[in-house]
Amino acid sequence: MPLAVYILGLSVFALGTSEFMLSGLLPPIADDMNVSIPQAGLLISAFAIGMVVGAPLLAVATLRLPRRTTLIALISVFGLGQVAGALAPTYEVLFASRVVSALACAGFWAVGAAVAIAMVPVNQRARAMAVMIGGLSIANVLGVPMGAFLGEHLGWRSAFWAVGVASAVALVGVVTRIPHIPLPERKPELRRELAIYRDRQVWLAVVITALAAGGVFCAFSYLAPVLTDVAGLDSGWVPWILGLFGVGALIGTTIGGRVADAHLFGVLLSGITASTVFLAALALFSSSQVAVVALAFLLGLSAFYTAPALNARMFNVAGAAPTLAGATTTAAFNLGNTAGPWLGGTVIDADFGFAATAWAGAAMLVVALAAVAVSLRLQRGGDGPSRSRLIAKSGAGASDRAGTSDGAGAAAGEGRSVRTGSAGAHRTGSAHPDRTESARPGRPAGVEAADCATGGTS
């Protein structure tokens, strides 16, 4: 795996810490800003809304801009957003700082994911995404609990300052380790990239991702009050239990990243089913301290076990537009991260209690399972090559000039390896619909593929 992919994972650690740390800071923020916990929870939704809007918007705006320079600018803006949050005098200013930080975070994810995917063989896409998602997992293991610890002992603002410092470290890594990417002979075309949205499998991937993320974060966003108000744990335990969620997330990401490339639909079905069961158990046994602690770990494991497959699926069905594929995945995840906390807050405001957020999350996951079943049925039923993948094949001439070969001649359903063109397009074999058709093992796409997929110089 290229070192640059690990640098992107390091950067995601800072992004992920900021995104998730509010789950352990809602009570002190609510007290300091004189708002209710559900209102404080809207700060999580604000970040998610910024991600939903920012991912496709910035992906389009930076489509022909230098990739490395774009990453540097975005991580810098993100760091400044953390400083603004730390200094925020009112709830409204804090809310605005979260939106700005989210816009930068979304752009970084979209561009960074496209670069990471392009620098590895197709049969290592899920593993590359697992490295980036691993940054989120480590954020949950170390960053989020540390944020909660700082919030408990030094005030919630200190957590924002800490993320600002982590962003500065990430900036140094991006500046020194992300390679220069030469300008491709054929520049990315917005109309060609937007054509992926004519593919119903792309929209199914969006729905699955949004519901899978929303179901988990409907409950996770209010885990702190569940632990203290329902299970009766002391607030000092919250950072440690959030850390336990992160340990589960790290283990889940590692396992899911290794399995998803070969059994993508199997990972989706088993992971989402497990998360549904764990959320139902959390709702039923939320008053048991032992059960809540164990389920926090298991929920982190199952949720992040599924995440590499969710990312890889989008790149599989939208290979003709790798930058928009990354942006669409980011938007889909955060659409769920917006809807989940909102639904959880609505449940709480309706006086169903904090534990009921787990039931609401489980309901979202049931719908996600139904969407996975529809997607799998379409693929097994010979849905045929998607429009986005056909468009990718039409660019074979450009990919040949970029030093790659097109896999358009592969017979449908054979499940054999194919090499992809500059757009990173590939298909899934209909004979084995839960297996991702992969590039020739051991042949990294390298910088040549990265410049074709991302379209920039630096």
Side-chain angles (χ1 to χ4, degrees):
M1 194 67 63
L3 176 61
V5 176
Y6 290 99
I7 293 299
L8 292 172
L10 173 65
S11 302
V12 169
F13 167 77
L15 305 180
T17 299
S18 177
E19 182 173 4
F20 299 138
M21 70 180 181
L22 287 194
S23 61
L25 297 174
L26 291 184
I29 289 177
D31 289 342
D32 189 30
M33 294 293 180
N34 195 29
V35 296
S36 67
I37 286 182
Q39 283 180 295
L42 290 178
L43 293 170
I44 299 174
S45 295
F47 197 96
I49 291 170
M51 294 280 283
V52 170
V53 175
L57 183 64
L58 287 172
V60 170
T62 64
L63 191 60
R64 298 190 178 189
L65 297 181
R67 302 294 88 186
R68 179 171 173 272
T69 303
T70 300
L71 291 175
I72 290 171
L74 291 171
I75 194 67
S76 299
V77 172
F78 175 82
L80 292 175
Q82 304 310 299
V83 174
L87 297 173
T90 65
Y91 174 81
E92 290 74 20
V93 174
L94 180 59
F95 191 98
S97 75
R98 296 297 290 171
V99 174
V100 172
S101 296
L103 290 172
C105 179
F108 192 97
W109 258 109
V111 176
V115 171
I117 286 292
M119 289 193 295
V120 299
V122 181
N123 66 327
Q124 292 185 18
R125 283 178 167 179
R127 293 187 67 179
M129 290 311 303
V131 171
M132 290 192 68
I133 297 168
L136 291 181
S137 302
I138 296 173
N140 278 286
V141 174
L142 299 176
V144 174
M146 184 58 67
F149 178 84
L150 290 174
E152 179 77 15
H153 295 88
L154 299 176
W156 63 267
R157 296 176 189 273
S158 64
F160 280 78
W161 285 114
V163 175
V165 172
S167 302
V169 174
L171 173 62
V172 173
V174 172
V175 170
T176 59
R177 296 299 180 183
I178 299 298
H180 293 272
I181 301 174
L183 182 69
E185 290 186 27
R186 181 174 181 175
K187 293 183 178 180
E189 299 173 5
L190 179 59
R191 179 181 300 177
R192 188 165 178 245
E193 294 237 342
L194 289 175
I196 65 171
Y197 296 120
R198 300 177 186 176
D199 183 357
R200 56 184 171 180
Q201 286 283 24
V202 169
W203 287 107
L204 277 170
V206 169
V207 170
I208 294 165
T209 301
L211 289 171
V216 172
F217 281 91
C218 181
F220 179 76
S221 298
Y222 300 97
L223 185 58
V226 168
L227 294 171
T228 56
D229 294 12
V230 181
L233 289 165
D234 184 83
S235 60
W237 283 99
V238 172
W240 300 102
I241 297 172
L242 292 177
L244 192 60
F245 177 94
V247 171
L250 184 59
I251 295 172
T253 300
T254 303
I255 298 172
R258 293 183 178 275
V259 177
D261 280 313
H263 304 285
L264 191 144
F265 276 98
V267 169
L268 290 177
L269 289 169
S270 60
I272 296 174
T273 299
S275 294
T276 305
V277 172
F278 296 149
L279 284 176
L282 180 62
L284 291 171
F285 304 108
S286 58
S287 60
S288 168
Q289 296 180 353
V290 173
V292 169
V293 171
L295 288 167
F297 168 79
L298 292 172
L299 187 59
L301 191 153
S302 63
F304 280 77
Y305 164 77
T306 313
L310 292 169
N311 279 276
R313 177 61 179 165
M314 182 63 75
F315 280 97
N316 290 353
V317 298
T323 303
L324 273 185
T328 303
T329 304
T330 300
F333 268 109
N334 287 278
L335 184 62
N337 290 352
T338 303
W342 172 83
L343 180 59
T346 301
V347 167
I348 295 169
D349 285 338
D351 294 327
F352 286 106
F354 291 117
T357 58
W359 283 123
M364 294 181 73
L365 292 179
V366 169
V367 181
L369 281 172
V372 174
V374 171
S375 181
L376 180 57
R377 182 180 179 85
L378 286 174
Q379 189 158 303
R380 281 179 169 169
D383 192 31
S386 70
R387 182 175 181 86
S388 63
R389 284 167 277 172
L390 287 172
I391 291 170
K393 291 178 188 178
S394 71
S399 66
D400 289 339
R401 289 192 298 273
T404 60
S405 61
D406 184 34
E414 288 180 335
R416 66 174 181 260
S417 297
V418 296
R419 291 196 292 179
T420 62
S422 66
H426 77 289
R427 300 177 296 166
T428 52
S430 60
H432 303 284
D434 79 331
R435 295 187 180 184
T436 300
E437 197 168 15
S438 60
R440 182 173 298 171
R443 183 182 181 274
V447 172
E448 294 82 28
D451 60 317
C452 293
T454 58
T457 61
S458 56

